[in-house]
Amino acid sequence: MSDVEALHDTILRWYDATARDLPWRVPAEQWPWPEVDRPWAVLVSEVMLQQTPVARVEPVWRCWMQLWPTPAALAAASPGDAVREWGRLGYPRRALRLHAAATAITEGHDGVIPANVQQLQALPGIGSYTAAAVGAFAFGIRATVVDVNVRRVEARLVTGAEHPAPSLSAAETRLAESLLPVADEDAARWNVAVMELGALVCKAASPDCGKCPVVDGCAWVLAGRPEHDGPRRKVQKWHGTDRQVRGKLLAVLRGATGPVPRADLDIVWHDPGQRDRCLSSLIEDGLVEALPRERFRLPA
Ligand code: SF4
């Protein structure tokens, strides 16, 4: 067995023994919800999981699958319904992206999610990461899936760096491709296994190397855990940011049964300049509609 094959074997066995039981990971042959389109369920989970932890995603994902078990079901709803049911997941433009993708799948693919990474990537709002992830996890296609967890694990394990570069480099993509198992089924499991290792063990701030199945061969550990010497990593702030204010404005609109007068929005934030800027950006993003007489609602 080569070194890479041994690495595959170790991480895949660790994944089989340790992985979290997440509903969107149930394989096709055991899928327990016949009314829910499994590739759609995977696509929705992948979009929701971008920048949002599993614990926050799972209840919203379950709600979405009940309301909209197929792309056609979401396409028949309004974009505003998608934004309303997005709840407090954050980055709500993702709800609009999913609605646009559902509409394109319904109108351009007879409601069937294409089992082809290029066609997936051609859908509105679906980038290269999501297309590869849906290809791999919904259809078992051999695609390289490189998210932030995969990048961190491979940086430490192979490159010996504590953190990857701020944005994905060509060298990282080549490394991830070179590590991908040859067989389709192993490749799909490898992608999710490395993601899971990053999420549960090789965490950003505090890797739990004592529980890591590949600690003996980890380049970063063998090098004596050198400190990160690249650009300072950004810490996401929340309090006082436009993201917080946008969230507060949207919360009012999500809870309303009809158009909301400006006065009801004015009370959510003390700084009128920041509040107006955030409301304008929500309108520009298509998340809010401005109506005559200074009234606002989610998009119809
Ligand atoms: Fe990450 Fe530690 Fe495992 Fe290396 S040994 S891959 S740093 S958890």
Side-chain angles (χ1 to χ4, degrees):
M1 194 185 279
S2 70
D3 288 351
V4 174
E5 286 169 341
L7 185 68
H8 293 158
D9 187 57
T10 304
I11 290 186
L12 290 176
R13 277 195 284 116
W14 171 86
Y15 177 73
D16 289 342
T18 319
R20 292 168 292 181
D21 207 6
L22 301 176
W24 46 83
R25 287 186 185 161
V26 177
E29 57 279 10
Q30 294 162 22
W31 190 247
W33 306 286
E35 71 286 4
V36 176
D37 178 42
R38 182 174 169 274
W40 170 240
V42 172
L43 192 160
V44 172
S45 76
E46 283 301 329
V47 174
M48 288 184 172
L49 287 164
Q50 288 161 21
Q51 299 162 301
T52 312
V54 162
R56 288 178 55 209
V57 164
E58 188 168 346
V60 180
W61 178 87
R62 288 186 183 279
C63 172
W64 271 54
M65 291 302 104
Q66 278 194 342
L67 288 170
W68 305 307
T70 62
L74 179 59
S78 73
D81 288 338
V83 174
R84 179 173 287 108
E85 298 302 333
W86 194 254
R88 304 185 73 85
L89 280 188
Y91 301 103
R93 275 180 289 181
R94 292 180 292 170
L96 293 182
R97 282 168 43 202
L98 276 170
H99 189 274
T103 303
I105 292 162
T106 305
E107 293 175 354
H109 297 271
D110 291 331
V112 178
I113 298 187
N116 174 294
V117 174
Q118 283 72 36
Q119 288 183 9
L120 285 163
Q121 202 172 334
L123 294 170
I126 303 298
S128 57
Y129 166 79
T130 309
V134 174
F137 305 144
F139 300 112
I141 294 170
R142 185 177 181 275
T144 311
V145 184
V146 188
D147 78 342
V148 66
N149 286 314
V150 172
R151 295 182 63 212
R152 186 170 60 255
V153 171
E154 293 182 354
R156 290 173 179 166
L157 181 62
V158 181
T159 315
E162 186 180 12
H163 296 290
S167 53
L168 181 66
S169 68
E172 280 178 274
T173 304
R174 281 196 300 274
L175 172 62
E177 285 168 355
S178 73
L179 292 174
L180 195 67
V182 175
D184 287 356
E185 193 203 332
D186 287 349
R189 282 174 60 236
W190 167 259
N191 282 319
V192 72
V194 180
M195 287 165 109
E196 192 75 340
L197 187 63
L200 298 183
V201 179
C202 194
K203 293 173 276 191
S206 54
D208 198 352
C209 302
K211 290 189 179 157
C212 182
V214 288
V215 64
D216 290 345
C218 175
W220 183 64
V221 171
L222 291 172
R225 301 172 187 243
E227 275 197 23
H228 179 64
D229 63 357
R232 271 178 71 117
R233 297 167 61 237
K234 279 192 208 151
V235 179
Q236 289 261 10
K237 284 196 306 183
W238 168 251
H239 290 289
T241 61
D242 285 4
R243 279 186 60 216
Q244 184 187 16
V245 180
R246 282 163 57 102
K248 283 177 175 287
L249 294 168
L250 271 185
V252 174
L253 296 166
R254 273 201 308 268
T257 52
V260 169
R262 182 181 279 274
D264 287 7
L265 297 174
D266 284 351
I267 57 176
V268 303
W269 195 249
H270 56 278
D271 178 345
Q274 188 179 19
R275 197 177 60 223
D276 289 350
R277 180 175 73 236
C278 291
L279 183 57
S280 297
S281 73
L282 288 169
I283 294 168
E284 264 173 42
D285 288 348
L287 289 159
V288 172
E289 264 180 30
L291 302 173
R293 301 195 304 282
E294 295 254 280
R295 292 172 310 140
F296 302 89
R297 69 178 180 192
L298 297 178

